[in-house]
Amino acid sequence: MNKVMFFAHLRDAVGEEEVIVEAAGKTVAQLKVEIVETYGLQKMDTVMTAINEEFAGNKEIIQDGDVIAFIPPVSGG
Amino acid sequence: MNKVMFFAHLRDAVGEEEVIVEAAGKTVAQLKVEIVETYGLQKMDTVMTAINEEFAGNKEIIQDGDVIAFIPPVSGG
Amino acid sequence: MNYELSKEAINIQSVIDKVVERDAGAITTFIGTVRELTHGKKTLYLVYEAYEAMAVKKLAQIGREIEERWSGAKVAITHRVGRLDITDIAVVIAVSTPHRADAYEANRYAIERIKEIVPIWKKEHWEDGEEWIGNQKETVAYPKGQPEEKDLHE
Amino acid sequence: MNYELSKEAINIQSVIDKVVERDAGAITTFIGTVRELTHGKKTLYLVYEAYEAMAVKKLAQIGREIEERWSGAKVAITHRVGRLDITDIAVVIAVSTPHRADAYEANRYAIERIKEIVPIWKKEHWEDGEEWIGNQKETVAYPKGQPEEKDLHE
């Protein structure tokens, strides 16, 4: 099982702070497609991904237990 | 009459914080030569001059009542 | 504790105190405050939200990058989260270095990196609405779903 | 009172407070502290001396130069005089600007100008002696007895 976290406008669009999904073996890109379809999002091209609090590329394969966070363009500072 | 002020190592070399001289009509350069001779200083090439708290060039002519300050290379900050 | 998020007002002096060094002659700080007008639009207040655990890690990564790049540098960063009013302090970055040119450059590097890789978001509230602000640097997005390679690893 | 000499310890926050603006999003500070080691030599303490009236004028001149060059900038500078121990603060420069790049550049400009035109001198005291420090910028001297033309007039 994997926890998937959403932030900022992405959380507003999804309507959830986090969800639990079964993503082991999938790539980040595959999970993104699923999320876009499930929640009717427009696209996630500008959204970065973190696995276990480190940035991860679209090709990275998710392991069981990994915590996934989708990170819209940041605006701190 | 003119007040002439010395600072930092120049004051140590001269042995006075300030002296009163008659410098009206002289250029800054002429006054420097006199000071070097009077106090046995090596040279004043690196020393800036202020007249009435504003920097002044060697060619500037001193007026009666002007306050002259000799300003060695600064080291604030 | 040199890298923190704070729900309370940031005390500038306490951030500076973390980087004071007997052999550092120069300390720069950057203090980001909430501005009333942006592109002529009047902000009422802001809310900052963070992915807290990762944000602290990324602030620490920026500190390490600076210490590698500018010899002898020490860094402390505190970023506010929650609601902020006009002129409130959003972020304080303190950098000490032996020589002053480095203190400016390293500090500038820190704020630019915060705007690239630290998961903190700002929601602006105006009289007629509110919006999450993103892509402040107005660069292109991340077509590969990630920042550049250098950002991936600590 | 944005340009001051101080015989007492400088309160950083009070210098920053002078430049806080509702429309300025960025404040930089430069804090110059007394370093223990310079070129491997151990400083015990320093004494700063100033031509006080002129020094305050020249600090104000630097502020005006910055406000002309960087639109919307606000500047405050306090320089300490008298005896300072290791890690004591010698100078605090605070600059606020609407945009952050300017706040770094304008602040850097201020410290460089202080080292050129403000009549303040530092005497270093070591275990084996003392010396007035000058020509920190290691530029050539002033063969004409003055800084460059631009420095002459406010």
Side-chain angles (χ1 to χ4, degrees), chain D residues 18-67:
Chain D
K18 295 174 189 174
V19 304
V20 171
E21 276 272 299
R22 294 179 75 80
D23 293 334
I27 302 169
T28 53
T29 69
F30 177 85
I31 301 157
T33 59
V34 178
R35 195 167 52 193
E36 182 160 41
L37 291 174
T38 300
H39 303 308
K41 206 163 180 183
K42 195 169 170 177
T43 300
L44 298 180
Y45 64 94
L46 297 182
V47 174
Y48 278 99
E49 163 182 319
Y51 180 13
E52 300 203 5
M54 184 173 170
V56 171
K57 273 192 185 179
K58 290 289 133 186
L59 292 176
Q61 175 184 332
I62 293 169
R64 280 194 304 278
E65 289 173 1
I66 288 172
E67 286 158 10

Side-chain angles (χ1 to χ4, degrees), chain D residues 40 42 46 51 69-70 93 95-96 98-99 127 129 138 148:
Chain D
K42 195 169 170 177
L46 297 182
Y51 180 13
R69 201 154 150 177
W70 286 277
I93 304 166
V95 177
S96 71
H99 298 287
E127 278 183 0
E138 289 170 19
E148 288 167 32

Side-chain angles (χ1 to χ4, degrees), chain B residues 5 7-9 11-12 32 45-50 52-58 69 71-77, chain D residues 48-49 51 53-54 57-58 79 115 117-118 120-122 132-136 141-147 152 154:
Chain B
M5 305 171 77
F7 294 95
H9 67 73
R11 183 195 54 227
D12 295 350
K32 276 189 174 182
D45 286 355
T46 66
V47 173
M48 298 185 278
T49 308
N52 304 328
E53 303 172 2
E54 279 301 330
F55 288 111
N58 276 336
I71 297 186
V74 301
S75 51
Chain D
Y48 278 99
E49 163 182 319
Y51 180 13
M54 184 173 170
K57 273 192 185 179
K58 290 289 133 186
H79 201 297
K115 289 172 182 291
I117 65 161
V118 179
I120 298 176
W121 300 268
K122 169 165 80 171
W132 287 105
I133 308 300
N135 202 15
Q136 282 193 319
Y142 304 98
K144 296 197 175 117
Q146 63 186 68
L152 293 180
E154 294 187 45

Side-chain angles (χ1 to χ4, degrees), chain D residues 79-124:
Chain D
H79 201 297
R80 182 85 181 274
V81 290
R83 179 190 158 129
L84 280 77
D85 294 310
I86 308 303
T87 78
D88 279 356
I89 296 171
V91 64
V92 175
I93 304 166
V95 177
S96 71
T97 58
H99 298 287
R100 66 183 181 280
D102 290 350
Y104 286 103
E105 284 171 24
N107 199 305
R108 178 86 193 268
Y109 177 86
I111 185 66
E112 300 301 333
R113 287 293 273 162
I114 287 172
K115 289 172 182 291
E116 284 171 359
I117 65 161
V118 179
I120 298 176
W121 300 268
K122 169 165 80 171
K123 193 177 202 171
E124 294 213 5

Side-chain angles (χ1 to χ4, degrees), chain A:
Chain A
M1 302 292 275
N2 300 89
K3 182 159 86 169
V4 180
M5 304 171 76
F6 303 102
F7 294 95
H9 66 73
L10 194 58
R11 185 195 52 228
D12 295 348
V14 167
E16 304 273 1
E17 281 193 27
E18 51 186 69
V19 295
I20 303 297
V21 298
E22 188 63 74
K26 293 174 188 166
T27 63
V28 166
Q30 288 172 319
L31 179 60
K32 276 189 175 180
V33 168
E34 287 188 13
I35 297 283
V36 165
E37 286 173 359
T38 305
Y39 298 100
L41 305 177
Q42 293 208 311
K43 56 184 174 67
M44 287 177 70
D45 287 355
T46 65
V47 174
M48 298 186 277
T49 308
I51 298 180
N52 303 328
E53 301 172 4
E54 278 302 330
F55 288 111
N58 276 335
K59 292 176 183 164
E60 206 152 318
I61 292 170
I62 296 162
Q63 310 293 315
D64 187 46
D66 280 351
V67 174
I68 316 301
F70 288 117
I71 298 184
V74 302
S75 50

Side-chain angles (χ1 to χ4, degrees), chain C residues 12-13 22-25 27-33 35-37 98-101 104 107-108 111-112 115, chain D residues 12-13 22-25 27-33 35-37 98-101 104 107-108 111-112 115:
Chain C
I12 297 169
Q13 185 67 52
R22 293 178 77 79
D23 294 334
I27 301 170
T28 53
T29 69
F30 176 85
I31 300 157
T33 60
R35 196 168 50 194
E36 184 161 38
L37 291 175
H99 299 288
R100 66 183 180 280
Y104 286 104
N107 199 303
R108 178 86 195 268
I111 185 64
E112 300 300 335
K115 289 173 182 291
Chain D
I12 297 169
Q13 184 67 53
R22 294 179 75 80
D23 293 334
I27 302 169
T28 53
T29 69
F30 177 85
I31 301 157
T33 59
R35 195 167 52 193
E36 182 160 41
L37 291 174
H99 298 287
R100 66 183 181 280
Y104 286 103
N107 199 305
R108 178 86 193 268
I111 185 66
E112 300 301 333
K115 289 172 182 291

